Amino acid sequence: MHEDYLQRIWSQSRIPSPNLLLTNGIPLTVKFPGKHNQSFSGPDFTEACIRFEELEFHGAIEIHVNGSDWYKHKHHEDDAYNSVILHVVYNNDLQVVQNGVELPTLELKGLIDQKHFEKSLNRKLSDGNLPCRNAINELDPIFLKSMKTKSLIQKLSEKIEFKSHLIEEEVVYQLIAATFGMGINKSAFIELANALPWSLLKNVEPMKRIQLIFVTSGFAQGDFSKKNGQEYQWHFKGTRPGNFPTIRIPQFARFIAHIDLEKLTRIAESDRVMVEFNRYCNQLCTQTEGLKLSNSMKELLAVNVLAPLLWWKSERSRNETYLEKAIELLESIPSEQNAIVRSWKASGVHAKNTFDSQGLIALNRYYCSVKKCLSCEVGLKILNREM
């Protein structure tokens, strides 16, 4: 028996609800099986509703193959599981006590449709980061497109999640800082942007901006561990020489030296975003000594600054036009090439542009790599085809 199979049939209400009995013999009615949890932790189902002993209970449901898995997974040490109102198991080898209370338990061993389970094994998703690689091309592409869009919006939301309280210029400034961090130094660049907010740099001369960034980051004295009471976790190991802090900090400082964030916002809303943005970046490089931006860096800034900015504006104004412009922008940029995109390509899924590649990368992050197949339209369709 497999836990993901138990979760799937529970979410689809395939357990015959009449005459259900808890392990202590008390009749149970499942009024609502709950919403499948799409986060990375916590009970499997939330907002469930069950009834027994003439009382109705609302809360979470946790599913395991064996009752003893509760303790193997350390749920008894996690307060998040105090909200569980029903423990659903295939085999109740051990009765669970949580927070001093014996947990109501439903054993499924005698309720499983064995033929359905055996048939599902033939449709079992493969292991690895792309569990559906062997069956994805059997489905209507509309399901994959829907999940790419959903995952991309989730990724854009994550980029602006903690910026809802900021004014527009500060949002753009922090997105720029995070982009120059290039992943491994992203947190340090965001900390630097917090220590030197745009409201402070905005009315400062270009050379003074550069000096402030150099000194605050520790670049001026070559001290990359601590400066002015602010600790930065600058990383050299695990990144390419071209992305070392000694390269990216001066590049960021010079880029910020002459930046006009209001103009950048107007460019994001223009009809020819990449044309206008490339022109503006070239203008900055011309007027700023020592500043060079490769085409790939310009595209990176467009993807990680302009697109999230448009999504932020869409969320703030409740105007989907901005989201449509963000998608149009991403569709105008060539696809990235990395290990995840190549893995999708090997499965027969090709990324035509950055909208595709960013969507596939996000889909892999939020669903495939953490095996959230029951929350994915693609995975769920593949798993359901044996029914």
Side-chain angles (χ1 to χ4, degrees), residues 34-49:
K35 296 179 180 178
H36 190 251
N37 181 13
Q38 296 187 36
S39 70
F40 299 156
S41 62
D44 295 322
F45 292 85
T46 61
E47 301 179 33
C49 179

Side-chain angles (χ1 to χ4, degrees), residues 298-346:
K298 294 172 191 174
E299 290 174 353
L300 200 65
L301 285 164
V303 170
N304 293 291
V305 178
L306 302 186
L309 170 63
L310 289 166
W311 170 243
W312 180 83
K313 290 171 74 70
S314 174
E315 284 288 277
R316 194 166 195 181
S317 64
R318 301 299 176 189
N319 184 346
E320 290 192 0
T321 301
Y322 291 116
L323 173 59
E324 293 169 3
K325 290 190 71 65
I327 292 175
E328 287 174 7
L329 168 61
L330 295 174
E331 287 178 335
S332 72
I333 301 172
S335 168
E336 304 109 304
Q337 294 300 321
N338 58 32
I340 295 174
V341 175
R342 287 192 292 272
S343 180
W344 279 105
K345 185 177 180 180

